């Protein structure tokens, strides 16, 4: 059965990979993001291939706009089957005692509070219908801190705890909850982390073949389409020469 899939942060990276992969699977997709023009471009791309697409331009940090967007969904889009909480970012690699307070606030508001907002807005409908899948994009960084990762790692540790907590809360329903934990993925993630310093961002991927957004999306689609009695609770996805958040062998 074709599903309605809502993906936050769908304009690039893992979110864009999920948009394309769920579309290839025959699903209808609701794409959210801050860049309205980019959303329109992606909608045109997917619609040209026969996918039904709805775009919603808002920042997950803005609770009121997020609520308005979900409250005003057209009737045919209201019964969301899959929520992919992907919107997130890392900013900076400074020691914790030298970190930027604004960077911290942006990460916490996006990675934790934004995820909670979307969960609160979408999951009650799933509970009412007794079906649904929540896929939270966590990180290997949520398993253990690495140098300079401090607050970002803390936000992804929170994603793990929130995912586990939600899974417990809906265990009496047919809803499934998944935490995907990528390692080194080549997206614009590092460019954002270093505030547009592309040269510094590229160095992170030197000497190793990193994961792509499509690699993570493949796992998301699998989790959402596993047999009804199978819950993919958590998946750690690393590049072949990456052993943990801090151990990367470059050749």
């Amino acid at each position: 059965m074709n599903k309605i899939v809502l993906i936050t942060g769908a304009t690039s990276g893992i979110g864009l990979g999920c948009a394309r992969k769920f579309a290839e699977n025959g699903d209808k997709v609701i794409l959210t993001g801050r860049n309205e023009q980019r959303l329109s471009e992606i909608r045109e791309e997917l619609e040209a291939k026969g996918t039904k697409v709805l775009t919603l331009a808002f920042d997950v940090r803005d609770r009121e706009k997020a609520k308005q967007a979900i409250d005003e969904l057209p009737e045919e889009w209201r019964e969301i089957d899959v929520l992919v909480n992907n919107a997130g970012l890392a900013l900076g690699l400074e020691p914790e005692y030298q970190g930027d307070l604004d960077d911290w606030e942006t990460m916490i508001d996006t990675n934790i509070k934004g995820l909670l907002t979307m969960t609160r807005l979408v999951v009650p409908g799933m509970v009412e219908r007794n079906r649904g899948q929540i896929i939270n994009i966590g990180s290997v960084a949520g398993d253990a801190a690495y140098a300079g990762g401090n607050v970002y790692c803390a936000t992804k540790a929170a994603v793990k705890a929130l995912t586990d907590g939600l899974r417990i809360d809906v265990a009496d329903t047919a809803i499934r909850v998944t935490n995907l934990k990528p390692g080194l993925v080549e997206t614009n993630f590092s460019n954002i982390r270093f505030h547009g310093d592309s040269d510094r961002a590229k160095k992170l991927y030197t000497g190793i073949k990193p994961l792509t957004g499509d690699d993570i999306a493949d796992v998301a689609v699998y989790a959402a389409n596993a047999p009804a009695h199978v819950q993919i609770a958590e998946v750690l996805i690393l590049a072949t020469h990456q052993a943990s958040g801090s151990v990367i062998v470059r050749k």
Side-chain angles (χ1 to χ4, degrees):
M1 182 183 74
N2 293 346
K3 300 179 177 65
I4 297 175
V5 183
L6 190 157
I7 304 161
T8 66
T11 57
S12 64
I14 294 171
L16 178 55
C18 285
R20 288 170 172 160
K21 291 290 184 177
F22 277 104
E24 288 174 11
N25 192 58
D27 298 316
K28 296 166 59 176
V29 293
I30 303 172
L31 309 180
T32 86
R34 294 175 295 171
N35 188 330
E36 191 164 2
Q37 181 178 342
R38 184 67 183 127
L39 285 171
S40 295
E41 293 169 354
I42 297 165
R43 183 182 66 238
E44 289 179 10
E45 172 198 329
L46 298 180
E47 286 181 339
K49 298 176 181 178
T51 302
K52 291 187 177 180
V53 182
L54 177 68
T55 58
L56 304 173
F58 65 88
D59 190 326
V60 294
R61 294 178 295 172
D62 190 329
R63 186 188 305 170
E64 291 307 313
K65 286 188 177 178
K67 184 177 187 304
Q68 181 180 2
I70 299 303
D71 286 347
E72 295 179 357
L73 281 173
E75 190 64 32
E76 67 173 300
W77 292 93
R78 298 188 69 82
E79 294 191 1
I80 296 165
D81 299 292
V82 181
L83 169 63
V84 181
N85 275 316
N86 166 73
L89 76 169
L91 293 169
L93 261 180
E94 297 81 14
E96 193 170 320
Y97 60 87
Q98 294 178 337
D100 185 293
L101 292 170
D102 290 334
D103 283 353
W104 292 355
E105 186 169 345
T106 299
M107 285 187 283
I108 291 167
D109 285 353
T110 306
N111 300 359
I112 302 176
K113 293 166 71 176
L115 178 148
L116 281 170
T117 293
M118 296 307 299
T119 300
R120 183 64 181 85
L121 291 172
V122 174
V123 175
M126 293 181 175
V127 172
E128 191 174 307
R129 295 185 295 275
N130 193 35
R131 71 174 191 272
Q133 170 86 50
I134 301 95
I135 299 174
N136 291 334
I137 305 299
S139 173
V140 62
D143 288 345
Y146 55 77
N150 44 75
V151 174
Y152 173 70
C153 294
T155 66
K156 290 303 184 177
V159 170
K160 173 176 170 52
L162 292 170
T163 307
D164 291 345
L166 180 60
R167 193 181 305 112
I168 292 167
D169 291 338
V170 298
D172 62 337
T173 75
I175 297 169
R176 303 180 298 188
V177 186
T178 300
N179 181 20
L180 299 187
K181 304 188 299 184
L184 194 65
V185 183
E186 188 168 12
T187 65
N188 65 343
F189 174 90
S190 295
N191 195 280
I192 292 171
R193 164 168 252 168
F194 299 128
H195 299 281
D197 188 338
S198 298
D199 291 337
R200 189 179 179 191
K202 287 178 182 177
K203 289 178 181 177
L204 286 181
Y205 308 112
T206 301
I208 186 172
K209 185 180 174 84
L211 302 167
T212 68
D214 285 351
D215 294 327
I216 311 308
D218 282 335
V219 184
V221 172
Y222 175 79
N225 289 278
H229 70 288
V230 177
Q231 179 169 216
I232 309 299
E234 186 171 285
V235 183
L236 176 64
I237 311 152
L238 302 175
T240 298
H241 294 292
Q242 179 177 15
S244 70
S246 56
V247 178
I248 298 172
V249 178
R250 303 177 189 275
K251 297 184 177 182

